[in-house]
Amino acid sequence: MAARGGADLLCPCGPSQPCRRAVHPAVFGMPFVSSQDMGQAAKSARTVVISGVPDGVLNDDVMSDILVIHFQKTKNNGGDVEEVKYPTREKGVAYVTFEDQEVVERVLRKNEHQLEDRRLPRYYPLKVTPYCENVFSSVSSVLNMSVFKDKFVLEDLIEELKKKNTALTFGPLQSNGHISVQGSFPAIRLLRDFLLLKAKSLSEDKNEESKSDQSPKKRQQKHRLTRETNKSVHGAEGEKQVVILDTDIYHYMKHFSKELLTNADVVISDVTDGDITTLHLQRARSRPDAGQILRVKEKIENQSMKLHNSLRKERIYLVECSRDKKKYRLVCESVKSCYHKVLVIPYDTHIDVIGSSSEVFQFTHEVNKKLQSLFQKR
């Protein structure tokens, strides 16, 4: 999955096909993750998302107890449960946090989870996924840290970043100043903002040092030039902005948040390059409010992050036979009519299904049942 600044800001890709692009720190940035965020990141690593929990069958407290019992059983590859969150904002979805992260790995390895209890009328299949598995399932990028080499010892700077950002994984620092980094999209985005500010502060320091070596008259001229330059840069930012989105997020927004992408005051054009879509925002002619572009940009970015936190993605792989591929698509189209907030994107080799955890699980489960029944009749 993806997002990137300019042509190569960052490259959020799925774990199956990691993508790597060089990223200059001046366009890559992030404030440090707080200790609270670090604790939350550690907890997230011990949490799984449970979809398919039967809704309305039993009292919520009873259902929570049944989930605890299920995920503590050895036959389900379970272990000690720290917490169960149910019900949640998503119908049929629960969050189970284990005391040990190794239990998460075992639970995920189990092929099928069947929720069974004498208080339930029947067995219920459950879908178990990592807490972080969503549209932005993974981000993998390469940073160019050489811009800092004149001011910092790069090895020390990298060690500081590692300690402060435990949710990210850093590769070895290369001799050319490049280093790979991998983690969730929000963590990568925070890192980007921090490095951007750090690079900007270095540039300002150099300007101050240069000023101190100049005569008063030259300093006055320099100050006026800087002020005028800043003014022109600010004006340019007001005239045009760029928003980097994951292509799947963009497709979802085009279907379900059209009002964000259609604005009489702002002209929005898009350029899609695989997993990445770059939006160019420009002021419409005869529209005087340049600040409107910044407001539209902020709304799009905020909605993008909300979708990042709520969406899940499943992939249905197609068979080789072209006739059977058509049947896959027809089945998905027929089921889609019952799931109005699910986005179905067909490709030559697979079909992507994007939506909330519960709806994606229910959609794919129903599609698989219909396909199985269809092929058994042949």
Side-chain angles (χ1 to χ4, degrees), residues 254-282:
K254 279 177 64 177
H255 279 78
F256 302 112
S257 303
K258 293 181 180 178
E259 68 283 354
L260 282 178
L261 303 175
T262 54
N263 190 292
D265 298 322
V266 179
V267 176
I268 302 176
S269 58
D270 63 88
V271 178
T272 297
D273 180 12
D275 289 333
I276 311 154
T277 293
T278 304
L279 301 187
H280 297 274
L281 283 60
Q282 290 182 293

Side-chain angles (χ1 to χ4, degrees), residues 68-314:
V68 170
I69 293 170
H70 175 88
F71 287 102
Q72 283 183 336
K73 288 183 177 179
T74 304
K75 73 172 186 176
N76 295 323
N77 292 351
D80 293 334
V81 174
E82 177 182 307
E83 180 185 24
V84 170
K85 286 188 177 181
Y86 182 82
T88 62
R89 289 179 297 177
E90 296 290 341
K91 183 179 177 182
V93 173
Y95 298 95
V96 177
T97 302
F98 296 98
E99 293 185 3
D100 192 339
Q101 188 173 344
E102 291 182 1
V103 180
V104 172
E105 298 170 3
R106 295 204 306 265
V107 166
L108 292 172
R109 283 198 298 267
K110 184 175 173 61
N111 293 329
E112 294 183 356
H113 281 271
Q114 294 277 358
L115 190 65
E116 53 181 297
D117 188 275
R118 58 182 177 79
R119 291 165 286 186
L120 293 172
R122 62 179 178 84
Y123 296 155
Y124 291 88
L126 299 177
K127 173 76 172 181
V128 183
T129 56
Y131 180 78
C132 63
E133 184 177 298
N134 46 34
V135 169
F136 294 93
S137 54
S138 180
V139 178
S140 181
S141 296
V142 177
L143 301 182
N144 179 4
M145 301 291 289
S146 60
V147 70
F148 296 113
K149 65 182 180 182
D150 294 333
K151 204 73 175 180
F152 299 100
V153 176
L154 291 186
E155 288 79 5
D156 293 343
L157 180 58
I158 296 300
E159 285 304 314
E160 182 183 5
L161 293 177
K162 288 180 180 179
K163 290 177 182 178
K164 297 291 185 180
N165 301 279
T166 55
L168 295 174
T169 301
F170 292 83
L173 179 64
Q174 305 297 321
S175 58
N176 59 0
H178 290 188
I179 185 170
S180 62
V181 59
Q182 187 171 11
S184 68
F185 178 76
I188 290 285
R189 188 168 184 169
L190 287 174
L191 178 60
R192 162 184 166 265
D193 295 337
F194 167 74
L195 292 176
L196 179 63
L197 290 174
K198 208 168 189 66
K200 183 179 179 182
S201 66
L202 289 180
S203 177
E204 290 174 350
D205 289 343
K206 288 181 180 179
N207 287 340
E208 290 298 325
E209 291 174 4
S210 177
K211 285 179 185 179
S212 64
D213 295 333
Q214 296 171 354
S215 65
K217 184 176 180 180
K218 287 185 177 180
R219 284 202 301 271
Q220 186 177 4
Q221 292 173 342
K222 178 72 173 179
H223 178 69
R224 183 170 65 251
L225 178 62
T226 301
R227 187 172 53 195
E228 291 172 354
T229 302
N230 288 339
K231 184 177 180 181
S232 66
V233 170
H234 178 74
E237 289 178 350
E239 293 289 338
K240 185 175 181 179
Q241 291 289 329
V242 172
V243 182
I244 310 302
L245 298 176
D246 178 278
T247 296
D248 286 329
I249 286 286
Y250 177 58
H251 286 323
Y252 197 90
M253 291 176 69
K254 279 177 64 177
H255 279 78
F256 302 112
S257 303
K258 293 181 180 178
E259 68 283 354
L260 282 178
L261 303 175
T262 54
N263 190 292
D265 298 322
V266 179
V267 176
I268 302 176
S269 58
D270 63 88
V271 178
T272 297
D273 180 12
D275 289 333
I276 311 154
T277 293
T278 304
L279 301 187
H280 297 274
L281 283 60
Q282 290 182 293
R283 188 174 62 176
R285 290 182 179 178
S286 74
R287 299 288 178 176
D289 186 9
Q292 179 70 5
I293 297 179
L294 293 173
R295 291 191 287 273
V296 171
K297 176 185 178 182
E298 183 178 0
K299 287 181 180 179
I300 293 175
E301 289 179 335
N302 289 341
Q303 179 66 8
S304 167
M305 292 310 295
K306 286 181 181 178
L307 294 176
H308 157 77
N309 292 326
S310 63
L311 293 179
R312 294 293 182 272
K313 175 178 175 178
E314 287 287 344

Side-chain angles (χ1 to χ4, degrees), residues 3-5 8-12 23 28 139 141 185 188 192 276:
R4 225 162 264 91
D8 52 17
L9 173 57
L10 36 118
C11 193
V23 181
F28 182 91
V139 178
S141 296
F185 178 76
I188 290 285
R192 162 184 166 265
I276 311 154

Side-chain angles (χ1 to χ4, degrees), residues 50-55 63 67 86 91-94 115 124-126 361:
I50 313 300
S51 303
V53 179
D55 183 68
M63 186 60 67
L67 288 171
Y86 182 82
K91 183 179 177 182
V93 173
L115 190 65
Y124 291 88
L126 299 177
F361 171 73

